[in-house]
Amino acid sequence: MPEKIDDLLPTARDIQKQAALQEAERAEQYARRTAAAESEKHKLIERLSKPSGLTEDEKVKLASTVIQRAVRNGLSEVQVYRFPHTLCTDNGRAINQQEPGWEKTLTGIAQEIFQLWSDYLKPRGYRIRYQIVDFPGGVPGDISITIAWGE
């Protein structure tokens, strides 16, 4: 047996300490990544809750581009936006329940899209649908906005 066995073969307690330190490092890295993701999510929600900054002309041109592309692809409707339920003043409850006046709960870009539809697209026969598209943990999640022109 070699004279320095302690150098070659650590004790079980030493191995357990090393494993615990590695696990703590992995947990710390996970916590950092999670915090960074949450920070990015909050920044995105903050940005989406504010007006886009586009002019009316730019909004109409953007809508036209999206609709024309969908038509070229043979579609009769297109999802134009998806946003978290937290951007609604009631967290999407009125949209989920299809209550009259649900559009009053919209904020930021989601509200701008509704206004664009109301002012320019609705008079031209387009339809709009705001719909909860996922239910993580059984509660409303993201909301999609779809513009339709077919039957």
Side-chain angles (χ1 to χ4, degrees):
M1 198 172 273
E3 293 181 24
K4 300 263 186 173
I5 192 158
D6 289 338
D7 293 337
L8 296 174
L9 187 60
T11 66
R13 182 177 299 258
D14 290 341
I15 293 296
Q16 289 172 340
K17 286 179 185 177
Q18 288 176 8
L21 289 172
Q22 289 175 350
E23 181 63 29
E25 178 61 29
R26 283 193 297 272
E28 188 176 318
Q29 288 174 356
Y30 176 78
R32 282 194 301 267
R33 285 192 306 269
T34 302
E38 278 298 311
S39 176
E40 285 180 28
K41 180 179 174 183
H42 287 296
K43 288 176 187 174
L44 177 62
I45 289 173
E46 179 69 24
R47 193 180 93 233
L48 297 178
S49 68
K50 295 179 179 171
S52 67
L54 297 175
T55 66
E56 286 297 300
D57 190 45
E58 290 170 326
K59 292 175 195 176
V60 170
K61 286 178 183 175
L62 182 57
S64 174
T65 299
V66 169
I67 291 168
Q68 291 299 327
R69 184 180 312 127
V71 169
R72 283 192 303 273
N73 288 321
L75 302 173
S76 59
E77 67 179 30
V78 63
Q79 180 180 312
V80 295
Y81 197 61
R82 183 173 171 149
F83 62 97
H85 72 281
T86 55
L87 291 180
C88 293
T89 59
D90 68 346
N91 289 317
R93 188 192 59 75
I95 290 172
N96 191 40
Q97 298 299 316
Q98 299 180 4
E99 291 179 1
W102 59 265
E103 66 278 1
K104 293 179 180 105
T105 69
L106 300 173
T107 64
I109 295 172
Q111 195 280 326
E112 279 187 34
I113 292 171
F114 184 85
Q115 195 62 51
L116 179 78
W117 169 78
S118 181
D119 293 346
Y120 302 102
L121 300 174
K122 182 179 180 183
R124 288 168 177 77
Y126 292 88
R127 297 181 313 279
I128 196 166
R129 180 175 66 242
Y130 283 65
Q131 173 181 352
I132 308 287
V133 291
D134 67 352
F135 290 84
V139 298
D142 285 353
I143 299 170
S144 77
I145 305 173
T146 303
I147 301 288
W149 50 90
E151 295 302 318

